[in-house]
Amino acid sequence: MESKTLISSIRENIGKVMVGSEETIDLLLTALIAEGHVLIEDVPGMGKTVLAKSLAKSVSLEFNRIQFTPDLLPSDVTGLNYFDQKANDFSPRPAFRNLLLADEINRATPRTQSSLLECMGERQITVDGVTRPLSAPFFVIATQNPIETLGTYPLPEAQLDRFLMRISMASPTKEQERAILQRFMKEEPLETLQSVCTRVDILALQKQAKEIYIHPVLLDYMIDLVQATRSWPNIDMGVSPRGSLALVRAVRAYALVRGGAYVVPEDIKTVAVPVLAHRLQLSGSVGSTDAQKKAMTDVLSSVALPTEDWSK
């Protein structure tokens, strides 16, 4: 199946459950195709878990949801090395899935949060000195409530940097909220959702995204954006080279999601804030999502946007 048709089918299938989340869906697909991970930061009840489950069902991926709580242990994520005679298999390994939903990740202790670092960064898990690779694709969607502080443990910068994007879900309009009520009044659309593509299709999209063309002038533009964050007023620490690489992967994947064969400036402007804002450390605004977004938006506005024929 052609990539444009395939992506459109996934988008429409998720749209059978989600209402008014087109931009969020596109960014989620972008992260999956770019082989990254996503942190969804929003208040409860916005549909974060439903969105993750809709994606997993649409793409026919092995899915698992882990509810992060203060008493959750690292072994509850990675599993243990013991043989279960009754099941005739080793102990369950919750993280060994294609799509892992880490729900309310900031409720777990830093020790448990860090158990995801190796999974997310290296696509492998080491338990008792034994390293096992994770099956591709491996995609982590983590959620957290930005306004809650009691009983939470803020993610350290090193772990935030492992997420390709941090996104939020826009509040529905009156018409969209009416549509949500009407859709869920008589049935549960998620229960009847069918897959429209396979794991192999996603791997093919990931490979195709790496072939999307980026004009050298646009590559310089992305470098200028990153360099600007390192000398911007009130930014103590700008974007690292890992962030630069993440931006390149994201813009290529986003170009593929929108159906393009090459990157255009609008692709960069669309994904720059979700990809780069959470990597900034600001003076006097520790953990302030809005302040980070504003700083990154200001940087975008200040760096001149090049104009060329990007297909050449």
Side-chain angles (χ1 to χ4, degrees), residues 117-283:
L117 284 175
E118 184 183 17
C119 310
M120 295 168 64
E122 302 173 46
R123 263 68 175 183
Q124 64 183 30
I125 290 178
T126 302
V127 179
D128 295 337
V130 179
T131 300
R132 295 180 176 83
L134 292 163
S135 177
F138 178 67
F139 186 38
V140 173
I141 300 176
T143 70
Q144 67 177 10
N145 181 351
I147 63 173
E148 208 165 32
T149 57
L150 188 64
T152 62
Y153 302 85
L155 292 174
E157 287 76 10
Q159 181 138 358
L160 278 174
D161 202 42
R162 291 298 198 280
F163 288 100
L164 181 75
M165 292 184 187
R166 180 181 61 190
I167 62 178
S168 58
M169 304 178 70
S171 297
T173 63
K174 182 176 180 179
E175 290 72 22
Q176 290 169 346
E177 195 143 9
R178 182 186 295 112
I180 292 172
L181 297 179
Q182 291 173 340
R183 182 172 297 184
F184 285 83
M185 193 176 293
K186 295 181 179 179
E187 59 182 4
E188 179 58 59
L190 186 60
E191 294 180 357
T192 57
L193 202 65
Q194 301 294 319
S195 65
V196 293
C197 76
T198 65
R199 167 181 165 273
V200 174
D201 292 326
I202 295 299
L203 294 176
L205 289 174
Q206 291 178 341
K207 183 178 180 180
Q208 189 174 346
K210 295 175 182 176
E211 304 299 323
I212 294 292
Y213 177 71
I214 303 179
H215 194 284
V217 173
L218 289 184
L219 200 61
D220 286 340
Y221 172 60
M222 287 188 280
I223 294 171
D224 289 342
L225 284 176
V226 169
Q227 292 281 333
T229 66
R230 298 171 187 167
S231 58
W232 195 258
N234 301 323
I235 295 181
D236 288 341
M237 188 179 77
V239 178
S240 68
R242 180 187 290 161
S244 305
L245 291 169
L247 182 61
V248 170
R249 298 200 332 260
V251 296
R252 278 178 153 174
Y254 186 78
L256 186 64
V257 167
R258 68 166 175 80
Y262 50 87
V263 173
V264 297
E266 287 71 23
D267 298 331
I268 302 172
K269 293 187 71 175
T270 299
V271 304
V273 173
V275 172
L276 302 180
H278 65 284
R279 304 173 194 272
L280 304 178
Q281 286 191 29
L282 308 183
S283 305

Side-chain angles (χ1 to χ4, degrees), residues 37-41 48-49 52-53 63-69 72 77 94-95 99-108 112-113 115-116 119-120 138-145 155 159 163:
H37 309 288
V38 169
L39 175 63
I40 306 179
E41 191 175 76
K48 301 184 291 293
T49 303
K53 288 183 176 180
F63 172 79
N64 194 25
R65 173 182 177 268
I66 302 177
Q67 180 64 52
F68 278 61
T69 56
L72 193 75
V77 177
L99 200 163
L100 179 66
L101 174 60
D103 225 349
E104 296 184 298
I105 188 172
N106 58 332
R107 288 194 174 279
T112 302
Q113 291 175 7
S115 65
L116 281 174
C119 310
M120 295 168 64
F138 178 67
F139 186 38
V140 173
I141 300 176
T143 70
Q144 67 177 10
N145 181 351
L155 292 174
Q159 181 138 358
F163 288 100

Side-chain angles (χ1 to χ4, degrees), residues 71-125:
D71 61 346
L72 193 75
L73 298 174
S75 58
D76 294 324
V77 177
T78 61
L80 293 169
N81 275 338
Y82 77 87
F83 192 78
D84 186 342
Q85 293 184 340
K86 184 177 292 186
N88 196 34
D89 199 358
F90 282 94
S91 67
R93 305 184 187 280
F96 279 78
R97 299 293 187 274
N98 297 122
L99 200 163
L100 179 66
L101 174 60
D103 225 349
E104 296 184 298
I105 188 172
N106 58 332
R107 288 194 174 279
T109 62
R111 182 184 177 196
T112 302
Q113 291 175 7
S114 66
S115 65
L116 281 174
L117 284 175
E118 184 183 17
C119 310
M120 295 168 64
E122 302 173 46
R123 263 68 175 183
Q124 64 183 30
I125 290 178

